[in-house]
Amino acid sequence: MEDSRIALPIGTTLDRYIKKKQDEFQFATGELSQLLRDIALAGKVVNREINKAGLINIIGAIGTQNVQGEDQQKLDVLANIRFTRALSKGGEACAVISEEDDEIVDLNNNGRYVIAIDPLDGSSNIDVNVSIGTIFSVFRRVTPVGSPIQETDVLQKGAEQVAAGYLLYGSSTMLVYTTGHGVNGFTYEPSLGEYFLSHPDMSIPEDGKVYSINEGSYTSFPKPVKEYIEFCKQNNFSARYIGSLVADFHRNLLKGGIYIYPQTAKDPNGKLRLMYECNALAFIIEQAGGLASTGRQRVLDIDPKELHERVPFFVGSKNMVEKAISLFK
Ligand code: P6P
């Protein structure tokens, strides 16, 4: 039996990679593999729609708002349909929680996995052709397979995730994910319809000189955040803020850096959602050697109380996050 810890060469397809690594999954029954394939497939469809967005009438708001009170863009709704449909057809997911749906979406009581997803994060950037992303978390249900889905299946600590990842629809489309055995990045080749391993064993530099935060809200930041920004300026760090979490996160993962969305007057608990934005990125960054905190608590330790709860979010290079959260003490 080939040792599954053998590093696979760059250029390995996602499908072959999943097969080769399957015995590393905690539940090596192949269901998690199928789930990852379902998500990857939906990502191909959304990628195609995003790339055509400028040409066909799917750009812009549709006049409705999601549970967050945010204007839903046509592609938001389309992406939500694509991912939910792919997961439903795949049969492995029992339920989905999504930024775009107020309540838990029941899919199949015989499914073993719960998916938390932000189908299209940063969607307000669609019209201006800025990179956007999909963020997903995978949990194993805690109630018996075959029984009705309960809230306890969904409201699990981030530390219980069995997989997490994101798709970045940028200059190229990438799928980056972890199953708890490191982080790997796959680049999509549309002409072949395949994702190829392009970034094996991703790890974030322990230090960086880039900080990502919307300083437009500076006046309402907590004092420690203002002190950390001052520290960055004193050390001549670069400010890079795309306004698209996945894009900022991905750049920091590759180059080193910190992304901060703190408490503000408008968002007293921060803007980002724990269940389908922060948990997934926290799992990925810890697997890549970085940290993710609310400023006072490790994100993955948070006991969620509601589907759409928001938390302050500090994520990135270990030394940078440690410095930022040290100012809260
Ligand atoms: P602000 C997009 O709405 C998002 O969730 C993230 O992708 C992004 O980093 C952040 O919000 C931008 O928010 O308040 O700085 O415009």
Side-chain angles (χ1 to χ4, degrees):
M1 171 80 159
E2 188 179 316
D3 179 347
S4 69
R5 285 182 294 282
I6 291 171
L8 289 166
I10 283 183
T12 301
T13 64
L14 174 65
D15 218 41
R16 179 169 156 70
Y17 182 88
I18 290 175
K19 281 195 191 85
K20 297 294 281 180
K21 294 286 184 175
Q22 182 159 298
D23 61 2
E24 277 185 10
F25 294 163
Q26 193 179 350
F27 312 98
T29 55
E31 292 157 334
L32 186 56
S33 306
Q34 185 51 48
L35 201 56
L36 291 169
R37 287 190 195 94
D38 296 340
I39 291 169
L41 173 62
K44 292 180 186 177
V45 175
V46 170
N47 176 67
R48 187 183 59 202
E49 284 160 347
I50 285 171
N51 289 340
K52 287 185 305 194
L55 302 174
I56 56 180
N57 179 28
I58 51 176
I59 276 185
I62 53 178
T64 57
Q65 294 196 327
N66 60 21
V67 65
Q68 334 287 341
E70 294 164 343
D71 292 338
Q72 287 184 299
Q73 307 291 321
K74 289 178 183 171
L75 270 173
D76 271 335
V77 174
L78 258 178
N80 195 41
I81 292 167
R82 298 295 185 206
F83 280 100
T84 306
R85 192 175 293 167
L87 291 166
S88 176
K89 279 188 180 158
E92 307 303 345
C94 56
V96 172
I97 60 167
S98 164
E99 179 181 86
E100 304 307 326
D101 292 306
D102 304 4
E103 306 299 332
I104 299 171
V105 177
D106 284 2
L107 292 182
N108 165 13
N109 285 350
N110 295 319
R112 294 177 188 279
Y113 296 96
V114 171
I115 311 297
I117 190 164
D118 183 353
L120 213 51
D121 177 77
S123 53
S124 56
N125 292 301
I126 295 170
D127 295 8
V128 295
N129 213 4
V130 165
S131 300
I132 51 183
T134 297
I135 307 170
F136 64 90
S137 276
V138 183
F139 294 89
R140 194 166 174 76
R141 70 179 296 176
V142 295
T143 56
V145 173
S147 65
I149 308 305
Q150 306 293 328
E151 201 168 68
T152 50
D153 288 311
V154 175
L155 292 180
Q156 299 186 51
K157 280 185 184 180
E160 297 303 319
Q161 290 172 94
V162 292
Y166 60 83
L167 285 139
L168 176 60
Y169 311 100
S171 48
S172 62
T173 290
M174 281 195 70
L175 168 63
V176 176
Y177 79 89
T178 182
T179 59
H181 300 277
V183 179
N184 289 281
F186 297 79
T187 299
Y188 183 55
E189 172 44 69
S191 65
L192 301 176
E194 287 277 11
Y195 294 90
F196 291 93
L197 179 64
S198 52
H199 298 68
D201 296 324
M202 299 175 82
S203 65
I204 184 169
E206 279 207 340
D207 241 323
K209 293 191 176 303
V210 169
Y211 68 104
S212 307
I213 188 169
N214 181 347
E215 293 193 52
S217 308
Y218 180 86
T219 53
S220 65
F221 286 162
K223 186 165 178 293
V225 174
K226 292 180 178 177
E227 288 171 348
Y228 183 69
I229 291 173
E230 190 51 34
F231 168 82
C232 292
K233 293 181 189 291
Q234 291 301 325
N235 285 275
N236 301 313
F237 290 2
S238 297
R240 293 284 183 277
Y241 192 69
I242 300 171
S244 186
L245 169 59
V246 174
D248 279 316
F249 178 90
H250 186 72
R251 183 206 53 247
N252 291 344
L253 173 57
L254 293 176
K255 307 281 188 191
I258 186 172
Y259 172 99
I260 302 173
Y261 208 107
Q263 304 86 328
T264 65
K266 179 170 175 276
D267 292 300
N269 293 316
K271 175 182 182 184
L272 300 179
R273 279 58 56 128
L274 172 64
M275 291 310 295
Y276 39 78
E277 289 170 330
C278 301
N279 269 338
L281 299 183
F283 188 17
I284 291 168
I285 209 71
E286 288 198 2
Q287 284 290 312
L291 291 177
S293 170
T294 64
R296 299 192 188 284
Q297 183 180 13
R298 178 183 179 234
V299 168
L300 295 183
D301 289 339
I302 298 173
D303 230 344
K305 298 293 178 288
E306 54 180 60
L307 295 184
H308 302 285
E309 73 182 75
R310 300 171 191 266
V311 292
F313 196 42
F314 298 69
V315 62
S317 292
K318 179 174 175 297
N319 296 349
M320 298 182 84
V321 175
E322 282 177 346
K323 173 63 183 174
I325 59 183
S326 70
L327 300 169
F328 278 83
K329 294 188 173 79

